[in-house]
Amino acid sequence: NPEEGELRPQLLDRFGMHAEIRTVKDPILRVKVVEERTSFDQTPMVWIENYETQQQELRTRIVDAQKLLPNVQLDYDLRVKISEVCSQLDVDGLRGDIVTNRA
């Protein structure tokens, strides 16, 4: 909860990755989000059916990618770049480097 302030660095270090969520500013995109939510609220099964194909394609891509992970090798120069970016972003500790290399 942002109103409670920032998390302490020792707590943040427990999270490998996190995302900052911001409110959508584009009015057209906001309308689209509201329309989608309203559609889901009114007819959830229709909404689910409309997106089933896309969801299945995404599931398949994720499973296929997971199967490839054990064979992925990061080039040394890329690992150095990851550490450079983490350093430039003033990331506390090394968790950001470790998780990004793992991701």
Side-chain angles (χ1 to χ4, degrees):
N1 183 357
E3 295 168 357
E4 295 176 5
E6 297 290 323
L7 288 175
R8 297 186 314 236
Q10 60 268 38
L11 288 176
L12 276 176
D13 192 47
R14 303 263 184 229
F15 297 96
M17 290 187 173
H18 70 276
E20 184 176 335
I21 308 300
R22 296 186 181 180
T23 302
V24 175
K25 301 290 184 188
D26 177 18
I28 293 171
L29 184 53
R30 289 174 71 102
V31 168
K32 177 70 174 162
V33 170
V34 171
E35 288 173 346
E36 289 291 319
R37 178 54 197 245
T38 302
S39 170
F40 178 79
D41 288 343
Q42 292 173 351
T43 55
M45 291 312 296
V46 170
W47 192 88
I48 290 169
E49 289 170 10
N50 286 342
Y51 286 94
E52 180 57 34
T53 300
Q54 290 173 284
Q55 289 294 304
Q56 186 55 49
E57 288 171 3
L58 185 56
R59 277 187 217 101
T60 300
R61 289 180 62 198
I62 290 170
V63 169
D64 290 346
Q66 288 172 329
K67 290 175 185 173
L68 294 174
L69 276 177
N71 301 319
V72 173
Q73 300 268 332
L74 282 184
D75 184 63
Y76 179 79
D77 291 338
L78 181 56
R79 289 182 282 159
V80 170
K81 185 65 176 174
I82 289 167
S83 290
E84 286 175 357
V85 170
C86 288
S87 179
Q88 290 170 359
L89 293 173
D90 202 22
V91 174
D92 287 327
L94 294 173
R95 178 127 9 228
D97 303 57
I98 293 167
V99 171
T100 305
N101 276 277
R102 196 178 296 155

XYZ file of all heavy atoms in Angstrom:
843
model
N 0.845 -1.176 0.000
C 0.000 0.000 0.000
C 0.887 1.234 0.000
O 1.554 1.516 0.987
C -0.916 -0.041 1.217
C -1.889 1.107 1.260
O -1.855 1.998 0.402
N -2.759 1.102 2.245
N 0.914 2.011 -1.094
C 1.789 3.174 -1.198
C 1.561 4.215 -0.104
O 2.476 4.945 0.255
C 1.464 3.760 -2.573
C 0.746 2.699 -3.307
C 0.130 1.791 -2.290
N 0.346 4.267 0.418
C 0.061 5.256 1.447
C 0.824 4.965 2.738
O 0.985 5.826 3.587
C -1.446 5.311 1.718
C -2.233 5.805 0.519
C -3.733 5.601 0.672
O -4.168 5.028 1.681
O -4.453 6.025 -0.247
N 1.295 3.741 2.887
C 2.042 3.358 4.079
C 3.533 3.619 3.923
O 4.311 3.350 4.823
C 1.799 1.889 4.395
C 0.354 1.602 4.760
C 0.105 0.119 4.974
O 1.066 -0.674 4.933
O -1.060 -0.242 5.175
N 3.948 4.123 2.783
C 5.359 4.436 2.557
C 6.077 3.320 1.820
O 5.503 2.290 1.474
N 7.369 3.545 1.586
C 8.206 2.586 0.871
C 8.561 1.410 1.768
O 8.629 1.533 2.992
C 9.499 3.275 0.417
C 9.283 4.410 -0.570
C 8.832 3.923 -1.926
O 9.310 2.856 -2.368
O 8.001 4.595 -2.548
N 8.820 0.268 1.147
C 9.318 -0.877 1.890
C 10.786 -0.644 2.247
O 11.529 -0.026 1.486
C 9.208 -2.157 1.059
C 7.816 -2.712 0.836
C 7.890 -3.916 -0.103
C 7.172 -3.119 2.144
N 11.188 -1.152 3.366
C 12.581 -1.029 3.778
C 13.453 -1.837 2.823
O 13.021 -2.866 2.298
C 12.751 -1.534 5.207
C 11.980 -0.722 6.206
C 12.284 -1.174 7.618
N 12.235 -2.638 7.732
C 11.488 -3.306 8.575
N 10.717 -2.673 9.429
N 11.507 -4.615 8.615
N 14.697 -1.389 2.585
C 15.582 -2.096 1.643
C 15.756 -3.576 1.967
O 15.809 -4.402 1.065
C 16.914 -1.347 1.779
C 16.530 0.018 2.236
C 15.303 -0.171 3.100
N 15.835 -3.938 3.259
C 16.019 -5.346 3.603
C 14.794 -6.181 3.241
O 14.908 -7.382 2.993
C 16.412 -5.534 5.072
C 15.411 -5.014 6.068
C 15.676 -3.579 6.491
O 16.068 -2.757 5.681
N 15.437 -3.276 7.749
N 13.614 -5.565 3.162
C 12.427 -6.286 2.705
C 12.396 -6.341 1.182
O 12.054 -7.371 0.594
C 11.154 -5.635 3.237
C 10.886 -5.817 4.726
C 9.647 -5.035 5.133
C 10.725 -7.276 5.079
N 12.723 -5.222 0.549
C 12.746 -5.200 -0.916
C 13.711 -6.234 -1.469
O 13.484 -6.819 -2.523
C 13.135 -3.812 -1.428
C 12.027 -2.788 -1.528
C 12.597 -1.445 -1.952
C 10.952 -3.233 -2.489
N 14.811 -6.473 -0.753
C 15.809 -7.424 -1.221
C 15.268 -8.850 -1.250
O 15.822 -9.719 -1.886
C 17.060 -7.355 -0.344
C 18.221 -8.109 -0.968
O 18.460 -7.923 -2.172
O 18.858 -8.899 -0.261
N 14.172 -9.098 -0.578
C 13.558 -10.436 -0.572
C 12.781 -10.702 -1.867
O 12.448 -11.828 -2.173
C 12.603 -10.586 0.611
C 13.254 -10.337 1.928
C 13.652 -11.643 2.550
N 14.198 -11.394 3.870
C 15.329 -11.893 4.280
N 16.017 -12.665 3.492
N 15.772 -11.631 5.488
N 12.459 -9.644 -2.601
C 11.716 -9.784 -3.846
C 12.702 -9.766 -5.009
O 13.466 -8.824 -5.170
C 10.715 -8.636 -4.032
C 9.655 -8.591 -2.975
C 9.788 -7.763 -1.869
C 8.526 -9.376 -3.079
C 8.809 -7.714 -0.893
C 7.542 -9.344 -2.108
C 7.687 -8.503 -1.016
N 12.650 -10.806 -5.826
C 13.531 -10.840 -6.976
C 13.173 -9.787 -8.004
O 14.022 -9.107 -8.547
N 11.893 -9.642 -8.231
C 11.406 -8.637 -9.180
C 10.107 -8.082 -8.636
O 9.376 -8.769 -7.929
C 11.141 -9.244 -10.554
C 12.344 -9.649 -11.310
S 11.876 -10.150 -12.982
C 13.482 -10.354 -13.689
N 9.847 -6.858 -8.977
C 8.555 -6.278 -8.651
C 8.216 -5.274 -9.728
O 9.071 -4.853 -10.498
C 8.559 -5.634 -7.254
C 9.376 -4.399 -7.143
N 10.727 -4.421 -6.908
C 9.029 -3.098 -7.241
C 11.184 -3.189 -6.872
N 10.183 -2.365 -7.069
N 6.969 -4.948 -9.808
C 6.509 -4.015 -10.835
C 5.809 -2.846 -10.167
O 5.095 -3.011 -9.187
C 5.541 -4.712 -11.789
N 6.058 -1.676 -10.720
C 5.353 -0.496 -10.249
C 4.133 -0.316 -11.145
O 4.251 -0.212 -12.365
C 6.259 0.735 -10.339
C 5.628 1.973 -9.787
C 6.575 3.161 -9.805
O 7.797 2.951 -9.786
O 6.082 4.295 -9.841
N 2.979 -0.310 -10.540
C 1.737 -0.187 -11.289
C 1.256 1.258 -11.199
O 1.157 1.815 -10.106
C 0.647 -1.133 -10.722
C 1.172 -2.557 -10.628
C -0.619 -1.050 -11.547
C 1.620 -3.167 -11.928
N 0.988 1.827 -12.329
C 0.500 3.211 -12.366
C -0.843 3.249 -13.078
O -1.158 2.391 -13.893
C 1.488 4.107 -13.099
C 2.812 4.200 -12.395
C 3.700 5.184 -13.059
N 4.988 5.216 -12.357
C 5.970 5.975 -12.694
N 5.851 6.769 -13.743
N 7.092 5.950 -12.017
N -1.597 4.257 -12.787
C -2.899 4.439 -13.423
C -2.717 4.807 -14.883
O -1.858 5.606 -15.236
C -3.688 5.557 -12.698
O -3.829 5.187 -11.330
C -5.054 5.759 -13.311
N -3.525 4.210 -15.735
C -3.507 4.511 -17.165
C -3.967 5.956 -17.362
O -4.985 6.370 -16.803
C -4.437 3.540 -17.922
C -4.538 3.902 -19.382
C -3.975 2.111 -17.732
N -3.222 6.711 -18.155
C -3.552 8.123 -18.388
C -4.293 8.347 -19.706
O -5.055 9.297 -19.840
C -2.274 8.976 -18.390
C -1.493 8.903 -17.096
C -2.211 9.589 -15.980
C -1.359 9.577 -14.724
N -2.056 10.061 -13.575
N -4.071 7.484 -20.685
C -4.684 7.644 -22.007
C -6.190 7.401 -21.912
O -6.629 6.300 -21.562
C -4.048 6.649 -22.973
C -4.661 6.685 -24.365
O -5.328 7.685 -24.709
O -4.470 5.711 -25.110
N -7.021 8.421 -22.234
C -8.473 8.273 -22.095
C -9.053 7.142 -22.942
O -9.973 6.443 -22.496
C -9.045 9.618 -22.529
C -7.908 10.528 -22.756
C -6.639 9.740 -22.698
N -8.530 6.925 -24.128
C -9.061 5.872 -24.998
C -8.780 4.496 -24.388
O -9.645 3.619 -24.377
C -8.477 5.999 -26.421
C -9.003 7.298 -27.059
C -8.813 4.780 -27.268
C -8.372 7.668 -28.364
N -7.582 4.316 -23.849
C -7.249 3.048 -23.211
C -8.060 2.851 -21.926
O -8.507 1.746 -21.628
C -5.753 2.988 -22.905
C -5.230 1.684 -22.325
C -5.616 0.480 -23.184
C -3.716 1.750 -22.156
N -8.294 3.924 -21.203
C -9.109 3.826 -19.984
C -10.531 3.360 -20.328
O -11.100 2.515 -19.636
C -9.149 5.173 -19.271
C -7.827 5.557 -18.632
C -7.887 6.966 -18.070
N -8.728 7.027 -16.890
C -8.284 7.076 -15.645
N -6.980 7.053 -15.408
N -9.115 7.139 -14.634
N -11.095 3.920 -21.403
C -12.438 3.510 -21.833
C -12.428 2.033 -22.209
O -13.335 1.281 -21.836
C -12.925 4.383 -23.009
C -14.175 3.797 -23.648
C -13.175 5.806 -22.540
N -11.393 1.597 -22.919
C -11.290 0.190 -23.317
C -11.254 -0.722 -22.083
O -11.938 -1.749 -22.040
C -10.040 -0.014 -24.170
C -9.784 -1.433 -24.592
C -10.788 -1.910 -25.600
C -10.403 -3.293 -26.092
N -11.498 -3.985 -26.718
N -10.485 -0.339 -21.072
C -10.397 -1.138 -19.846
C -11.757 -1.209 -19.153
O -12.203 -2.281 -18.734
C -9.324 -0.561 -18.893
C -9.391 -1.230 -17.532
C -7.932 -0.705 -19.502
N -12.431 -0.076 -19.064
C -13.747 -0.050 -18.420
C -14.736 -0.904 -19.208
O -15.525 -1.657 -18.626
C -14.264 1.396 -18.262
C -15.712 1.418 -17.811
C -13.376 2.167 -17.285
N -14.703 -0.819 -20.536
C -15.608 -1.624 -21.364
C -15.346 -3.115 -21.172
O -16.288 -3.905 -21.061
C -15.452 -1.250 -22.840
C -16.040 0.098 -23.184
C -15.720 0.531 -24.606
O -14.820 -0.073 -25.255
O -16.366 1.482 -25.080
N -14.082 -3.509 -21.151
C -13.736 -4.914 -20.951
C -14.211 -5.393 -19.584
O -14.762 -6.486 -19.455
C -12.230 -5.132 -21.093
C -11.720 -5.000 -22.500
C -12.190 -6.114 -23.410
O -12.210 -7.292 -22.986
O -12.543 -5.821 -24.558
N -13.991 -4.583 -18.567
C -14.414 -4.978 -17.218
C -15.932 -5.093 -17.134
O -16.475 -6.032 -16.540
C -13.893 -3.966 -16.195
C -14.323 -4.247 -14.776
C -13.936 -5.687 -14.382
N -14.659 -6.120 -13.224
C -14.105 -6.400 -12.067
N -12.809 -6.299 -11.915
N -14.851 -6.783 -11.059
N -16.640 -4.138 -17.738
C -18.098 -4.173 -17.743
C -18.599 -5.411 -18.480
O -19.520 -6.095 -18.024
C -18.670 -2.895 -18.386
O -18.190 -1.769 -17.651
C -20.186 -2.892 -18.383
N -17.977 -5.713 -19.608
C -18.339 -6.901 -20.380
C -18.153 -8.156 -19.536
O -19.007 -9.042 -19.520
C -17.485 -6.981 -21.643
O -17.644 -8.218 -22.272
N -17.029 -8.235 -18.848
C -16.775 -9.400 -18.001
C -17.801 -9.508 -16.880
O -18.305 -10.593 -16.593
C -15.360 -9.349 -17.421
C -15.077 -10.497 -16.497
C -14.763 -11.737 -17.012
C -15.144 -10.339 -15.130
C -14.506 -12.813 -16.167
C -14.892 -11.392 -14.275
C -14.574 -12.640 -14.799
N -18.100 -8.382 -16.242
C -19.066 -8.395 -15.135
C -20.453 -8.846 -15.592
O -21.146 -9.553 -14.872
C -19.177 -7.006 -14.497
C -17.945 -6.633 -13.689
O -17.147 -7.542 -13.343
O -17.765 -5.435 -13.402
N -20.838 -8.431 -16.789
C -22.181 -8.738 -17.282
C -22.298 -10.159 -17.830
O -23.322 -10.822 -17.630
C -22.597 -7.725 -18.346
C -22.795 -6.337 -17.780
C -23.041 -5.294 -18.869
O -22.908 -5.564 -20.059
N -23.403 -4.089 -18.442
N -21.279 -10.599 -18.540
C -21.326 -11.927 -19.166
C -19.949 -12.593 -19.078
O -19.246 -12.700 -20.086
C -21.753 -11.814 -20.636
O -20.868 -10.895 -21.295
C -23.181 -11.350 -20.786
N -19.568 -13.048 -17.903
C -18.212 -13.596 -17.741
C -17.921 -14.789 -18.649
O -16.808 -14.895 -19.175
C -18.143 -13.992 -16.265
C -19.535 -13.955 -15.757
C -20.330 -13.082 -16.656
N -18.871 -15.658 -18.862
C -18.603 -16.831 -19.694
C -18.365 -16.447 -21.152
O -17.508 -17.030 -21.823
C -19.745 -17.851 -19.588
C -19.821 -18.529 -18.231
S -18.227 -19.158 -17.599
C -17.827 -20.383 -18.805
N -19.097 -15.464 -21.653
C -18.872 -14.985 -23.026
C -17.477 -14.380 -23.130
O -16.738 -14.633 -24.087
C -19.955 -13.955 -23.429
C -19.592 -13.277 -24.749
C -21.312 -14.628 -23.519
N -17.122 -13.595 -22.139
C -15.803 -12.955 -22.118
C -14.707 -14.014 -22.103
O -13.735 -13.936 -22.855
C -15.705 -12.054 -20.883
C -14.531 -11.146 -20.885
C -14.452 -9.902 -21.428
C -13.255 -11.400 -20.298
N -13.219 -9.372 -21.209
C -12.452 -10.281 -20.512
C -12.711 -12.480 -19.605
C -11.147 -10.184 -20.073
C -11.408 -12.388 -19.168
C -10.643 -11.262 -19.396
N -14.872 -15.024 -21.265
C -13.878 -16.101 -21.174
C -13.773 -16.836 -22.510
O -12.669 -17.130 -22.984
C -14.240 -17.058 -20.019
C -14.015 -16.348 -18.678
C -13.446 -18.357 -20.104
C -14.569 -17.081 -17.472
N -14.907 -17.111 -23.128
C -14.904 -17.793 -24.424
C -14.223 -16.939 -25.495
O -13.496 -17.461 -26.344
C -16.326 -18.139 -24.850
C -16.953 -19.243 -24.022
C -18.445 -19.419 -24.280
O -18.976 -18.808 -25.237
O -19.072 -20.172 -23.512
N -14.455 -15.634 -25.465
C -13.846 -14.739 -26.448
C -12.321 -14.755 -26.386
O -11.649 -14.540 -27.394
C -14.340 -13.303 -26.270
C -15.752 -13.109 -26.757
O -16.290 -13.910 -27.513
N -16.382 -12.036 -26.310
N -11.763 -14.979 -25.203
C -10.318 -14.935 -25.024
C -9.687 -16.310 -24.877
O -8.463 -16.411 -24.704
C -9.966 -14.064 -23.814
C -10.155 -12.601 -24.099
C -11.349 -11.954 -23.779
C -9.159 -11.869 -24.721
C -11.531 -10.613 -24.058
C -9.330 -10.523 -25.007
C -10.523 -9.902 -24.670
O -10.701 -8.578 -24.950
N -10.462 -17.371 -24.977
C -9.936 -18.716 -24.759
C -8.807 -19.067 -25.723
O -7.786 -19.619 -25.321
C -11.054 -19.759 -24.844
C -10.569 -21.181 -24.625
C -9.842 -21.396 -23.296
O -10.209 -20.740 -22.292
O -8.904 -22.203 -23.255
N -8.972 -18.747 -27.002
C -7.939 -19.074 -27.983
C -6.632 -18.364 -27.651
O -5.566 -18.980 -27.641
C -8.401 -18.701 -29.407
O -9.594 -19.443 -29.699
C -7.337 -19.030 -30.442
N -6.714 -17.068 -27.356
C -5.514 -16.306 -26.999
C -4.874 -16.855 -25.727
O -3.646 -16.937 -25.635
C -5.860 -14.828 -26.791
C -6.217 -14.099 -28.073
C -6.712 -12.700 -27.763
O -7.835 -12.527 -27.324
N -5.861 -11.718 -27.981
N -5.695 -17.207 -24.754
C -5.176 -17.744 -23.501
C -4.463 -19.070 -23.734
O -3.396 -19.315 -23.175
C -6.307 -17.922 -22.485
C -6.856 -16.627 -21.946
C -5.826 -15.875 -21.120
O -5.293 -16.398 -20.163
N -5.554 -14.655 -21.512
N -5.043 -19.924 -24.559
C -4.414 -21.219 -24.836
C -3.099 -21.037 -25.578
O -2.118 -21.720 -25.293
C -5.359 -22.124 -25.632
C -4.819 -23.525 -25.814
C -4.458 -24.202 -24.507
O -5.225 -24.217 -23.569
N -3.253 -24.736 -24.430
N -3.056 -20.105 -26.536
C -1.809 -19.832 -27.252
C -0.734 -19.345 -26.285
O 0.432 -19.756 -26.379
C -2.046 -18.792 -28.345
C -2.836 -19.326 -29.525
C -3.254 -18.234 -30.506
O -2.882 -17.050 -30.307
O -3.950 -18.558 -31.478
N -1.114 -18.489 -25.368
C -0.168 -17.980 -24.377
C 0.313 -19.105 -23.465
O 1.511 -19.213 -23.174
C -0.818 -16.860 -23.562
C 0.074 -16.147 -22.553
C 1.313 -15.572 -23.213
C -0.718 -15.058 -21.845
N -0.597 -19.961 -23.013
C -0.213 -21.106 -22.179
C 0.815 -21.973 -22.898
O 1.824 -22.398 -22.315
C -1.442 -21.963 -21.845
C -2.235 -21.476 -20.689
C -3.345 -22.498 -20.329
N -4.528 -21.771 -19.919
C -5.596 -21.537 -20.650
N -5.705 -22.028 -21.867
N -6.606 -20.839 -20.175
N 0.561 -22.245 -24.165
C 1.461 -23.085 -24.958
C 2.837 -22.435 -25.079
O 3.859 -23.113 -24.914
C 0.861 -23.346 -26.358
O -0.396 -24.005 -26.198
C 1.783 -24.188 -27.210
N 2.873 -21.156 -25.344
C 4.153 -20.445 -25.463
C 4.929 -20.484 -24.149
O 6.149 -20.653 -24.145
C 3.927 -19.002 -25.902
C 3.483 -18.883 -27.359
C 3.269 -17.444 -27.764
N 4.513 -16.692 -27.653
C 4.584 -15.374 -27.601
N 3.496 -14.644 -27.617
N 5.739 -14.769 -27.506
N 4.226 -20.325 -23.035
C 4.888 -20.346 -21.725
C 5.466 -21.727 -21.442
O 6.625 -21.857 -21.023
C 3.913 -19.905 -20.615
C 3.610 -18.408 -20.755
C 4.481 -20.224 -19.236
C 2.482 -17.919 -19.858
N 4.679 -22.765 -21.683
C 5.153 -24.140 -21.441
C 6.340 -24.454 -22.343
O 7.340 -25.035 -21.900
C 4.004 -25.156 -21.626
C 4.529 -26.584 -21.644
C 2.961 -24.980 -20.533
N 6.263 -24.067 -23.611
C 7.374 -24.298 -24.536
C 8.639 -23.573 -24.073
O 9.741 -24.130 -24.120
C 7.010 -23.856 -25.956
C 5.972 -24.753 -26.607
O 5.714 -25.862 -26.075
O 5.396 -24.329 -27.641
N 8.484 -22.341 -23.610
C 9.632 -21.567 -23.125
C 10.223 -22.213 -21.872
O 11.449 -22.264 -21.717
C 9.206 -20.134 -22.845
N 9.372 -22.700 -20.980
C 9.864 -23.364 -19.766
C 10.707 -24.586 -20.110
O 11.692 -24.871 -19.425
C 8.695 -23.756 -18.862
C 8.048 -22.576 -18.177
C 6.782 -22.953 -17.431
O 6.055 -23.862 -17.818
N 6.502 -22.222 -16.355
N 10.336 -25.291 -21.153
C 11.098 -26.471 -21.564
C 12.481 -26.095 -22.086
O 13.430 -26.878 -21.979
C 10.330 -27.246 -22.634
C 9.088 -27.934 -22.117
C 8.309 -28.588 -23.248
C 6.993 -29.165 -22.744
N 6.151 -29.657 -23.854
N 12.607 -24.911 -22.660
C 13.887 -24.463 -23.212
C 14.834 -23.899 -22.146
O 16.048 -23.837 -22.363
C 13.649 -23.379 -24.273
C 12.914 -23.810 -25.538
C 12.621 -22.598 -26.414
C 13.737 -24.842 -26.301
N 14.291 -23.475 -21.016
C 15.099 -22.806 -19.994
C 16.363 -23.549 -19.566
O 17.414 -22.915 -19.416
C 14.238 -22.494 -18.768
C 13.436 -21.203 -18.847
C 12.574 -21.054 -17.600
C 14.332 -20.000 -19.025
N 16.312 -24.854 -19.340
C 17.533 -25.529 -18.884
C 18.703 -25.409 -19.868
O 19.859 -25.551 -19.479
C 17.107 -27.002 -18.734
C 15.632 -26.954 -18.561
C 15.163 -25.777 -19.364
N 18.420 -25.143 -21.128
C 19.475 -25.061 -22.142
C 19.937 -23.642 -22.437
O 20.816 -23.443 -23.263
C 18.983 -25.706 -23.440
C 18.610 -27.155 -23.251
O 19.304 -27.885 -22.548
N 17.510 -27.583 -23.839
N 19.344 -22.664 -21.771
C 19.696 -21.269 -22.036
C 21.019 -20.935 -21.359
O 21.230 -21.219 -20.182
C 18.592 -20.310 -21.539
C 19.034 -18.860 -21.647
C 17.310 -20.536 -22.326
N 21.928 -20.344 -22.124
C 23.224 -19.905 -21.607
C 23.345 -18.409 -21.873
O 23.167 -17.958 -22.998
C 24.350 -20.631 -22.347
C 24.312 -22.136 -22.215
C 25.136 -22.617 -21.038
O 26.083 -21.961 -20.656
N 24.757 -23.737 -20.459
N 23.640 -17.642 -20.815
C 23.829 -16.201 -20.980
C 25.285 -15.911 -21.302
O 26.191 -16.393 -20.617
C 23.462 -15.452 -19.697
C 21.998 -15.236 -19.409
C 21.847 -14.395 -18.148
C 21.292 -14.569 -20.557
N 25.493 -15.110 -22.321
C 26.821 -14.677 -22.692
C 27.405 -13.804 -21.571
O 26.682 -13.045 -20.919
C 26.721 -13.886 -24.004
C 28.066 -13.476 -24.529
O 28.864 -14.376 -24.855
O 28.328 -12.258 -24.599
N 28.697 -13.892 -21.356
C 29.353 -13.115 -20.298
C 29.087 -11.622 -20.450
O 28.797 -10.929 -19.476
C 30.861 -13.397 -20.298
C 31.601 -12.603 -19.257
C 31.587 -13.000 -17.920
C 32.296 -11.450 -19.605
C 32.258 -12.266 -16.950
C 32.966 -10.710 -18.643
C 32.945 -11.126 -17.322
O 33.594 -10.387 -16.368
N 29.164 -11.104 -21.685
C 28.947 -9.673 -21.918
C 27.537 -9.252 -21.512
O 27.338 -8.140 -21.020
C 29.192 -9.311 -23.386
C 30.669 -9.418 -23.772
O 31.522 -9.350 -22.857
O 30.957 -9.578 -24.970
N 26.556 -10.133 -21.707
C 25.190 -9.823 -21.301
C 25.089 -9.783 -19.778
O 24.421 -8.924 -19.209
C 24.199 -10.838 -21.883
C 22.735 -10.612 -21.541
C 22.257 -9.219 -21.944
C 21.868 -11.674 -22.204
N 25.775 -10.699 -19.104
C 25.775 -10.683 -17.637
C 26.412 -9.402 -17.103
O 25.934 -8.830 -16.117
C 26.463 -11.925 -17.089
C 25.611 -13.178 -17.312
C 26.250 -14.396 -16.728
N 27.308 -14.819 -17.658
C 28.330 -15.587 -17.333
N 28.458 -16.043 -16.115
N 29.217 -15.933 -18.234
N 27.468 -8.943 -17.768
C 28.090 -7.677 -17.370
C 27.112 -6.527 -17.592
O 26.965 -5.643 -16.744
C 29.413 -7.434 -18.147
C 29.925 -6.017 -17.922
C 30.464 -8.464 -17.741
N 26.403 -6.545 -18.708
C 25.420 -5.496 -19.004
C 24.317 -5.471 -17.945
O 23.888 -4.406 -17.504
C 24.822 -5.713 -20.407
C 23.899 -4.617 -20.852
C 24.663 -3.312 -21.018
C 23.786 -2.225 -21.559
N 24.478 -0.933 -21.599
N 23.845 -6.647 -17.538
C 22.823 -6.726 -16.490
C 23.324 -6.061 -15.224
O 22.629 -5.255 -14.589
C 22.423 -8.197 -16.239
C 21.620 -8.732 -17.418
C 21.638 -8.339 -14.928
C 21.437 -10.238 -17.412
N 24.553 -6.370 -14.826
C 25.112 -5.769 -13.618
C 25.317 -4.268 -13.774
O 25.122 -3.510 -12.821
C 26.429 -6.456 -13.245
O 26.171 -7.770 -12.799
N 25.696 -3.815 -14.971
C 25.826 -2.379 -15.217
C 24.489 -1.669 -15.030
O 24.409 -0.624 -14.386
C 26.340 -2.118 -16.638
C 27.793 -2.417 -16.845
C 28.220 -2.268 -18.303
O 27.363 -1.989 -19.178
O 29.420 -2.439 -18.566
N 23.437 -2.237 -15.598
C 22.098 -1.641 -15.491
C 21.643 -1.613 -14.039
O 21.138 -0.604 -13.552
C 21.086 -2.379 -16.394
C 19.660 -1.939 -16.102
C 21.424 -2.159 -17.864
N 21.825 -2.723 -13.333
C 21.438 -2.763 -11.917
C 22.198 -1.715 -11.124
O 21.627 -1.043 -10.256
C 21.677 -4.158 -11.336
S 20.502 -5.398 -11.922
N 23.471 -1.552 -11.431
C 24.283 -0.549 -10.743
C 23.803 0.863 -11.071
O 23.661 1.707 -10.186
C 25.753 -0.714 -11.133
O 26.544 0.255 -10.504
N 23.527 1.121 -12.352
C 23.039 2.445 -12.769
C 21.696 2.771 -12.147
O 21.396 3.923 -11.854
C 22.946 2.528 -14.293
C 24.289 2.555 -14.982
C 24.172 2.389 -16.487
O 23.086 2.225 -17.039
N 25.308 2.415 -17.161
N 20.875 1.744 -11.938
C 19.570 1.955 -11.313
C 19.667 2.006 -9.794
O 18.659 2.136 -9.105
C 18.596 0.853 -11.741
C 18.196 0.866 -13.214
C 17.369 -0.365 -13.552
C 17.441 2.138 -13.566
N 20.873 1.894 -9.282
C 21.134 1.969 -7.843
C 20.357 0.896 -7.078
O 19.778 1.149 -6.026
C 20.802 3.360 -7.309
C 21.520 3.669 -6.012
O 22.554 3.035 -5.744
O 21.030 4.531 -5.266
N 20.347 -0.318 -7.647
C 19.672 -1.443 -7.016
C 20.461 -1.856 -5.781
O 21.673 -2.060 -5.852
C 19.554 -2.631 -7.996
C 18.980 -3.853 -7.308
C 18.706 -2.235 -9.197
N 19.790 -1.950 -4.637
C 20.448 -2.380 -3.412
C 20.769 -3.869 -3.490
O 19.959 -4.668 -3.937
C 19.542 -2.140 -2.191
C 19.438 -0.668 -1.833
O 20.439 0.057 -2.045
O 18.378 -0.244 -1.348
N 21.942 -4.236 -3.045
C 22.331 -5.634 -3.008
C 22.557 -6.201 -4.398
O 22.678 -5.474 -5.377
N 22.634 -7.523 -4.448
C 22.886 -8.211 -5.716
C 21.689 -9.023 -6.196
O 21.769 -9.695 -7.220
C 24.104 -9.144 -5.574
C 25.431 -8.418 -5.345
C 26.524 -9.424 -5.040
C 25.795 -7.584 -6.557
N 20.594 -8.956 -5.459
C 19.433 -9.776 -5.825
C 18.954 -9.432 -7.239
O 18.562 -10.307 -7.991
C 18.313 -9.602 -4.818
C 17.101 -10.395 -5.188
C 16.494 -11.325 -4.196
N 16.970 -11.296 -2.858
C 17.296 -12.388 -2.181
N 17.201 -13.555 -2.757
N 17.696 -12.325 -0.946
N 18.962 -8.161 -7.606
C 18.529 -7.766 -8.952
C 19.379 -8.417 -10.032
O 18.866 -8.895 -11.047
N 20.686 -8.446 -9.810
C 21.600 -9.099 -10.761
C 21.286 -10.599 -10.865
O 21.176 -11.154 -11.961
C 23.060 -8.947 -10.310
C 23.491 -7.508 -10.133
O 22.845 -6.791 -9.343
O 24.477 -7.108 -10.765
N 21.139 -11.221 -9.695
C 20.908 -12.667 -9.662
C 19.593 -13.029 -10.340
O 19.550 -13.930 -11.190
C 20.913 -13.174 -8.197
C 22.331 -13.020 -7.616
C 20.436 -14.610 -8.114
C 22.398 -13.192 -6.106
N 18.543 -12.325 -9.995
C 17.236 -12.660 -10.549
C 17.167 -12.361 -12.037
O 16.594 -13.125 -12.807
C 16.105 -11.918 -9.773
C 14.774 -12.075 -10.455
C 16.047 -12.443 -8.355
N 17.765 -11.257 -12.464
C 17.743 -10.919 -13.884
C 18.532 -11.934 -14.688
O 18.121 -12.342 -15.781
C 18.263 -9.494 -14.115
O 17.506 -8.587 -13.316
C 18.137 -9.091 -15.570
N 19.664 -12.375 -14.166
C 20.420 -13.428 -14.845
C 19.609 -14.710 -14.916
O 19.671 -15.433 -15.913
C 21.745 -13.697 -14.119
C 22.830 -12.748 -14.533
O 23.479 -12.954 -15.540
N 23.009 -11.681 -13.779
N 18.860 -14.997 -13.883
C 18.047 -16.213 -13.835
C 16.835 -16.114 -14.759
O 16.398 -17.089 -15.337
C 17.582 -16.454 -12.410
C 17.083 -17.841 -12.155
C 16.682 -18.029 -10.721
N 17.835 -17.895 -9.833
C 17.753 -17.547 -8.550
N 16.595 -17.284 -7.995
N 18.844 -17.455 -7.828
N 16.285 -14.900 -14.868
C 15.081 -14.693 -15.655
C 15.393 -14.828 -17.132
O 14.585 -15.164 -17.934
C 14.473 -13.318 -15.382
